[in-house]
């Protein structure tokens, strides 16, 4: 059933008996016909007689009605919910009443409690529902002097293309994408809906590449403040509680010490230096003071690699932003587990793989290191590894 | 069958230093571990060795979530049980004691580490201990909170600048005899009084220096202690108490939590009058004024009588901080563990140049949280 403003015409009639106030309708004797055209529409007849109510769907002509209401389904729902003014609808002829409209406008609120759209699960709300409430949620006081056009290209079910025009303290929503746009946001309709109802975090959706923003990034970030928060129909709006956003940062100077320090000195020279346990012979990468298995100090260093073999890998599509810089990693990227030549089996290093090599990556592949032009003694000196196809794979 | 008593068999300390930039804390812990093994010959054998390790560290100081993850190898904890006591070294001893008393283990290694020099500012880390809305917003940190307490206590006890300087001068004299202490240079009272105000009334030399350190001990059940030492030090009582988090909720000079903790520890140890039964005390004096204040809380000095206690030689009567105390420099989170280690060494008669004669019983004290929010008290006896 087609929904408008998050509800259906049928639901409004289905809830009529529950909303009926017989005490108030003792003196009433009337039959009202309803005709709602378009998707989700139909014909209904409500017969109110001495405190009783009968609601029926009608096939064919509406007969024996003292008064009939003719409108399209969207206007009907909008007026019922108060989203569209009844007088506006009447004057624009979107809603016509055969009979006495004033009488109806006084009678109906008296004998029915107001219709409230059914509470929805947040995941049942569509992008279309939310876009439909944009104009109503607009906060002109926050958008003083703002002039922008925002395009939404929302793919999939419940999606569509819309242009939001903010100008002169007013907001209008149009179907389709205008040209030019201040900013255009492209995403799945369900991603948009998720962000609006709070089940998807906007920053995460953006950094993970689920939202594509073209044009003015700052404008995209500002849109939220021009509108009141979207509230799922039927949900009670939570009291606004103040939260504090702070970035805490305390600079650290991590010591590498005389053992791990050798590894980083090696990295600076583009060499992999492991230290070999005198007892079990494993090559620790990175080298540590002690072999935790054998509980003995480890002193001997051996060079391993530089080539190695991929034993495991993963491909990251949903990247965490760098917590310190906020930089977003380009996805997808591969993290591979490499056992360097000469290293013992359980001492793999974890590194990035060159992006172009991802399609040809498989377990057992031979790889060689890719070094930074300038090395400083940091693990980032090792940009990553690339497939070593000259040798062929194992 | 659970044991009745728990012994500290051996202790090992890494020398405290203001900037061990060349050493990972893992390397520091390994030195401590090896010294404990050299002293006692304990192993990590699954039947007869150490299988339970209680560590003490702090995520903020290590800048690592779940800080103990990064040190398990050098604690000997790989493939063994390990539990972390966050930020309170003396409490780790209390926890290890409980583990043994419960019968869960008969041998427990306690290992604590901290490199205050690793972070740009230990004060910023302390600031993070405060709630983000009120305390952090006004820049409260351990120093700032302590200075509020210092002024209140100086007024209550009639403590003077000269007396505070005297506490520091004495601490350095003892620290000079302690090879593990950080600040071992002798200072004159005039130098202390002329040192810059960090947070009035706390001057630079009233405050412990930035310190890196590591300390460990081996605890054993009564039945097994003799395998590792012929001079066991027994835990006679341990207790702790937590006060209100918000500074404004507390009477800063009342020692409420410390009195509670001390009272419980004394009861466990069967001590009716600490003034008569305690031979030595190591208190965690991060700032000079705290030494008499905590001694009041421990019942060794009358309420508000700190000044008179100092003038009448109370520090020598109760052999207060013969190690030089925290004033000579320990990392804040394991300063209490150092206190216990020093008290244990004294009871063993292994305190070198700082050794006190004829000791039977000693108290080690520790505190954490701003201006002494939480206190632990450990009673040790020979």
């Amino acid at each position: 059933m087609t929904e408008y403003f998050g509800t259906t015409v049928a639901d409004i009639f289905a809830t009529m008996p529950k909303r009926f106030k017989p005490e108030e309708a003792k003196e009433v004797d009337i039959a009202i016909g309803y005709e709602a055209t378009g998707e989700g529409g139909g014909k209904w007849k409500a017969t109110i007689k001495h405190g009783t109510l009968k609601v029926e769907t009608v096939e064919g002509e509406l007969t024996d009605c003292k008064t009939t209401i003719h409108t399209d389904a969207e206007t009907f729902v909008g007026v019922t919910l108060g989203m569209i003014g009844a007088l506006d609808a009447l004057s624009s002829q979107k809603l016509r009443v055969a009979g006495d409209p004033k009488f109806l406008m006084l009678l109906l609120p008296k004998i029915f409690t107001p219709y409230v759209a059914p509470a929805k699960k947040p995941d049942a709300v569509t992008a279309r529902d939310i876009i439909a409430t944009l104009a109503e949620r607009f906060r002109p006081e926050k958008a003083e002097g703002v002039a922008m056009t925002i395009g939404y290209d929302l793919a999939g079910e419940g999606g569509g293309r819309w242009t939001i025009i903010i100008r002169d303290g007013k907001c209008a929503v149009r179907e389709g994408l205008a040209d030019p746009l201040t900013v255009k946001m492209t995403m799945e309709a369900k991603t948009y809906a998720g962000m609006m109802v709070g089940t998807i975090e906007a920053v995460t959706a953006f950094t993970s590449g689920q939202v594509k923003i073209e044009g003015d990034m700052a404008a995209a970030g500002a849109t939220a403040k021009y509108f009141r928060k979207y509230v799922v129909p039927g949900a009670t709006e939570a009291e606004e509680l103040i939260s504090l956003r702070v970035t805490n940062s305390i600079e650290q100077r991590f010591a590498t010490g005389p053992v791990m320090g050798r590894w980083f000195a090696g990295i600076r020279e583009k060499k992999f230096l492991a230290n070999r346990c005198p007892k079990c012979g494993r090559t620790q990468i990175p080298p540590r003071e002690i072999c935790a298995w054998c509980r003995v100090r480890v002193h001997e260093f051996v060079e391993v690699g530089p080539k190695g073999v991929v034993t495991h890998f993963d491909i990251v599509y949903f990247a965490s932003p760098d917590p310190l810089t906020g930089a977003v990693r380009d996805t997808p990227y591969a993290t591979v587990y490499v056992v360097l030549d000469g290293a013992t089996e359980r001492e793999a290093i974890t590194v990035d793989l060159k992006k172009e090599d991802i399609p040809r990556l498989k377990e057992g592949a031979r790889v060689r290191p890719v070094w930074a032009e300038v090395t400083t003694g940091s693990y980032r000196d090792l940009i990553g590894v690339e497939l070593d196809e000259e040798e062929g794979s194992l | 069958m659970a044991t009745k008593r728990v012994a500290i068999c051996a202790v090992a300390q890494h020398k405290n230093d203001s900037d061990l930039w060349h050493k990972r804390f893992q390397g520091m812990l390994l030195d401590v571990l090896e010294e404990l093994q050299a002293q006692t010959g304990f192993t990590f054998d699954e039947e007869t060795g150490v299988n339970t390790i209680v560590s003490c560290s702090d995520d903020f100081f290590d800048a690592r979530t779940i800080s103990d993850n990064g040190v398990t190898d050098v604690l000997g904890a790989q493939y063994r049980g390990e539990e972390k006591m966050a930020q309170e070294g003396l409490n780790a001893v209390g926890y290890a004691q409980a583990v043994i008393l419960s019968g869960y283990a008969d041998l427990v290694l306690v290992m604590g580490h901290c490199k205050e020099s690793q972070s740009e500012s230990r004060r910023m880390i302390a600031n993070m201990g405060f709630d983000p809305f009120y305390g952090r917003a006004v820049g409260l940190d351990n120093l700032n909170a302590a200075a509020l307490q210092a002024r209140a206590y100086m007024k209550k006890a009639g403590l003077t600048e000269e007396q505070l300087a005297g506490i520091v001068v004495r601490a350095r004299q003892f620290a000079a005899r302690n090879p593990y202490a950080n600040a071992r240079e002798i200072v004159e009272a005039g130098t202390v009084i002329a040192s810059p105000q960090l947070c009035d009334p706390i001057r630079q030399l009233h405050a412990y220096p930035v310190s890196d350190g590591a300390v460990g001990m081996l605890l054993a059940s009564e039945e097994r202690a003799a395998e590792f030492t012929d001079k066991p030090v027994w835990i006679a009582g341990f207790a702790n108490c937590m006060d209100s988090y918000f500074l404004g909720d507390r009477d800063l000079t009342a020692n409420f939590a410390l009195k509670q903790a001390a009272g419980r520890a004394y009861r466990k140890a069967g001590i009716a009058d600490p003034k008569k039964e305690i031979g030595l005390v190591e208190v965690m004096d991060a700032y000079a004024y705290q030494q008499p204040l905590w001694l009041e809380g421990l019942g060794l000095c009358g309420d508000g009588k700190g000044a008179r206690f100092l003038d009448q030689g109370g520090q020598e009567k109760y052999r207060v901080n013969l190690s030089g105390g925290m004033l000579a420099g320990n990392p804040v989170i394991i300063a209490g563990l150092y206190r216990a280690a020093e008290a244990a060494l004294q009871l063993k008669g292994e305190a070198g140049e700082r050794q006190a004669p004829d000791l039977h019983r000693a108290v080690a004290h520790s505190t954490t949280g701003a201006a002494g929010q939480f206190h632990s008290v450990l009673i040790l006896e020979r």
Side-chain angles (χ1 to χ4, degrees):
Chain A
M1 191 56 89
T2 309
E3 288 188 359
Y4 302 96
F5 306 102
T7 194
T8 64
V9 177
D11 192 55
I12 293 171
F13 286 103
T15 59
M16 251 187 174
K18 261 195 269 176
R19 295 186 287 113
F20 183 59
K21 297 192 276 189
E23 293 298 311
E24 302 288 339
K26 273 184 185 157
E27 314 292 319
V28 181
D29 185 358
I30 191 173
I32 309 166
Y34 295 86
E35 184 188 17
T37 57
E39 265 186 65
K43 289 176 188 168
W44 285 267
K45 184 175 174 183
T47 310
I48 300 148
K49 196 167 185 179
H50 308 314
T52 64
L53 167 74
K54 188 177 150 202
V55 183
E56 58 200 308
T57 54
V58 177
E59 304 290 331
E61 293 299 305
L62 282 164
T63 52
D64 305 322
C65 294
K66 186 170 178 188
T67 222
T68 52
I69 297 171
H70 304 272
T71 182
D72 63 277
E74 183 174 3
T75 304
F76 180 77
V77 173
V79 170
T80 307
L81 288 172
M83 298 284 195
I84 298 172
L87 287 173
D88 292 343
L90 279 167
S91 60
S92 67
Q93 295 283 300
K94 279 194 162 179
L95 187 147
R96 291 177 296 108
V97 177
D100 185 350
K102 266 191 193 161
F103 172 73
L104 265 192
M105 283 173 68
L106 291 172
L107 174 71
L108 295 179
K110 194 175 146 208
I111 63 171
F112 291 104
T113 56
Y115 174 77
V116 179
K120 277 197 164 191
K121 285 186 181 160
D123 59 4
V125 176
T126 67
R128 182 172 286 276
D129 295 339
I130 296 166
I131 295 280
T133 64
L134 263 178
E136 179 237 335
R137 292 189 284 116
F138 183 61
R139 306 165 78 173
E141 75 280 6
K142 297 279 178 188
E144 235 170 88
V146 174
M148 60 165 74
T149 50
I150 306 153
Y152 284 105
D153 188 348
L154 309 178
E157 205 180 323
R161 292 192 174 91
W162 289 275
T163 301
I164 318 299
I165 304 146
I166 300 175
R167 189 174 296 131
D168 302 330
K170 286 188 180 116
C171 170
V173 180
R174 303 267 181 270
E175 293 261 2
L177 289 172
D179 187 25
L181 289 167
T182 314
V183 62
K184 180 181 158 192
M185 289 178 261
T186 307
M187 68 192 99
E188 289 290 320
K190 62 174 193 272
T191 303
Y192 175 80
M195 291 194 306
M196 291 299 119
V197 302
T199 53
I200 296 174
E201 203 190 338
V203 175
T204 312
F206 172 62
T207 54
S208 62
Q210 294 181 61
V211 180
K212 205 171 108 196
I213 300 181
E214 293 162 89
D216 187 344
M217 294 279 283
T223 51
K225 71 174 181 235
Y226 304 138
F227 299 93
R228 288 201 314 281
K229 194 178 163 353
Y230 175 75
V231 179
V232 178
T236 47
E237 193 164 358
E239 184 187 350
E240 192 202 3
L241 295 176
I242 291 167
S243 58
L244 184 64
R245 289 190 84 99
V246 191
T247 303
N248 293 314
S249 177
I250 301 173
E251 205 166 290
Q252 302 285 325
R253 183 195 48 183
F254 294 109
T256 60
V259 179
M260 210 182 273
R262 285 280 297 277
W263 156 269
F264 287 109
I267 288 276
R268 194 166 52 201
E269 306 302 319
K270 305 185 180 179
K271 286 180 186 167
F272 298 114
L273 294 177
N275 70 350
R276 184 173 6 229
C277 173
K279 209 164 164 189
C280 69
R282 75 166 171 141
T283 54
Q284 299 199 106
I285 306 174
R288 277 143 282 170
E289 288 83 353
I290 188 176
C291 171
W293 303 355
C294 306
R295 298 187 161 81
V296 291
R297 289 229 184 215
V298 182
H299 299 291
E300 185 203 356
F301 278 82
V302 290
E303 187 176 348
V304 293
K307 294 182 180 180
V309 62
V310 173
T311 54
H312 312 290
F313 64 89
D314 63 34
I315 296 172
V316 180
Y317 292 92
F318 193 91
S320 297
D322 184 310
L324 296 180
T325 64
V328 180
R329 294 186 66 137
D330 196 17
T331 53
Y333 66 89
T335 302
V336 297
Y337 221 56
V338 175
V339 176
L340 294 166
D341 296 345
T344 44
E345 202 182 345
R346 281 170 65 177
E347 295 298 317
I349 56 170
T350 321
V351 286
D352 285 357
L353 179 81
K354 192 163 82 179
K355 196 177 180 70
E356 296 73 43
D357 288 352
I358 293 176
R360 302 192 313 286
L361 175 60
K362 55 188 174 194
E363 283 176 15
R366 294 283 299 165
V367 291
R368 58 181 174 239
V370 181
W371 296 101
E373 267 181 42
V374 180
T375 54
T376 60
S378 141
Y379 197 46
R380 298 316 304 172
D381 291 349
L382 177 63
I383 292 170
V385 292
E386 61 186 0
L387 294 179
D388 187 39
E389 280 156 327
E390 289 145 34
E391 285 188 15
S393 52
L394 289 180
Chain B
M1 181 63 192
T3 188
K4 290 275 195 299
R5 284 204 297 177
V6 174
I8 295 176
C9 301
V11 304
Q13 306 176 65
H14 193 286
K15 186 197 175 302
N16 291 272
D17 196 296
S18 280
D19 190 7
L20 285 168
W21 61 270
H22 50 86
K23 206 164 180 180
R24 296 205 304 154
F25 46 70
Q26 288 89 342
M28 295 160 63
L29 282 166
L30 186 55
D31 289 351
V32 169
L33 179 75
E34 288 177 343
E35 200 201 312
L36 283 174
Q37 285 191 284
Q39 284 182 38
T40 60
F42 81 83
T43 70
F44 289 95
D45 183 273
E46 285 187 60
E47 296 295 320
T48 59
V50 168
N51 285 290
T52 301
I53 294 100
V54 179
S55 67
C56 177
S57 57
D58 175 62
D59 289 7
F60 271 67
F61 272 113
D62 283 10
R64 188 181 306 231
T65 307
I66 317 179
S67 52
D68 50 335
N69 278 355
V71 296
T72 48
D73 55 351
V74 291
L75 304 179
Q78 194 146 317
Y79 311 135
R80 298 292 180 272
E82 187 271 338
E83 292 176 63
K84 168 182 154 186
M85 178 62 65
Q87 301 143 355
E88 224 295 40
L90 191 58
N91 226 33
V93 179
Y95 185 73
Q97 179 208 18
V99 168
I100 295 173
L101 287 178
S102 74
Y104 176 78
D106 53 11
L107 212 51
V108 176
L109 188 62
V110 177
M111 298 283 288
H113 78 270
C114 182
K115 277 184 79 176
E116 291 189 341
S117 73
Q118 180 180 284
S119 68
E120 180 188 4
S121 164
R122 67 177 180 195
R123 294 186 62 182
M124 286 166 75
I125 290 176
N127 177 256
M128 296 287 184
F130 288 81
D131 81 279
F133 303 97
Y134 306 96
R136 290 189 203 174
V138 296
L140 278 178
D141 57 24
N142 285 352
L143 172 67
N144 188 340
L148 288 169
Q149 186 174 46
R151 189 175 294 282
Y153 179 63
M154 286 171 76
K155 187 178 171 195
K156 178 181 175 182
L159 212 58
T160 64
E161 272 272 349
E162 288 69 26
Q163 284 171 316
L164 287 178
I167 291 168
V168 178
V169 169
R170 179 180 173 277
R172 292 297 187 88
Q173 286 166 352
F174 281 107
R177 302 180 206 164
N178 178 358
Y180 304 107
N182 180 1
R184 303 179 66 205
E185 308 77 28
I186 300 294
V187 293
E188 304 294 330
T191 314
V192 178
I193 291 172
S195 68
Q197 289 282 12
L198 294 180
C199 187
D200 191 354
I202 295 178
R203 294 182 181 277
Q204 189 170 11
L205 289 177
H206 293 159
Y208 80 104
V210 169
S211 297
D212 300 343
V215 55
M217 49 181 69
L218 180 70
L219 273 63
S221 65
E222 185 166 12
E223 292 74 15
R224 295 206 58 192
E227 292 174 42
F228 306 100
T229 181
D230 51 8
K231 288 184 281 184
V233 172
W234 302 104
I235 297 179
F238 174 82
N240 54 34
C241 182
M242 180 69 85
D243 206 338
S244 309
Y245 176 59
F246 284 98
L247 275 187
D249 289 352
R250 275 189 257 156
D251 176 343
L252 291 174
T253 65
N255 267 319
F256 174 80
L258 178 52
K259 284 178 181 171
Q260 296 285 320
R264 289 174 206 160
Y266 291 146
R267 277 196 295 281
K268 285 179 186 168
I271 293 173
D273 184 356
K275 284 183 181 167
K276 290 191 184 132
E277 297 173 66
I278 301 298
L280 177 141
V281 57
E282 283 280 332
V283 292
M284 186 171 147
D285 48 355
Y287 305 99
Y289 80 91
Q290 290 185 344
Q291 196 187 91
L293 175 60
W294 302 152
L295 290 168
E296 287 188 16
L298 286 167
L300 299 176
C301 165
D303 237 18
K305 301 283 190 288
R308 204 201 306 169
F309 177 90
L310 295 170
D311 287 346
Q312 294 180 347
Q315 289 162 302
E316 308 324 319
K317 182 178 176 194
Y318 294 109
R319 291 146 171 165
V320 177
N321 287 9
L322 300 191
S323 63
M326 187 181 174
L327 278 175
N330 305 126
V332 63
I333 67 160
I334 52 169
L337 195 52
Y338 270 105
R339 301 278 74 69
E342 278 292 323
L345 283 179
Q346 288 282 358
L347 288 167
K348 280 171 162 286
E350 295 173 358
E353 284 182 54
R354 58 202 187 283
Q355 180 66 50
D358 309 323
L359 282 177
H360 174 64
R361 201 179 262 148
V363 174
H365 156 262
S366 178
T367 179
T368 191
Q373 183 191 352
F374 176 85
H375 290 270
S376 301
V377 177
L378 179 74
I379 319 285
L380 297 175
E381 60 191 23
R382 208 143 58 95

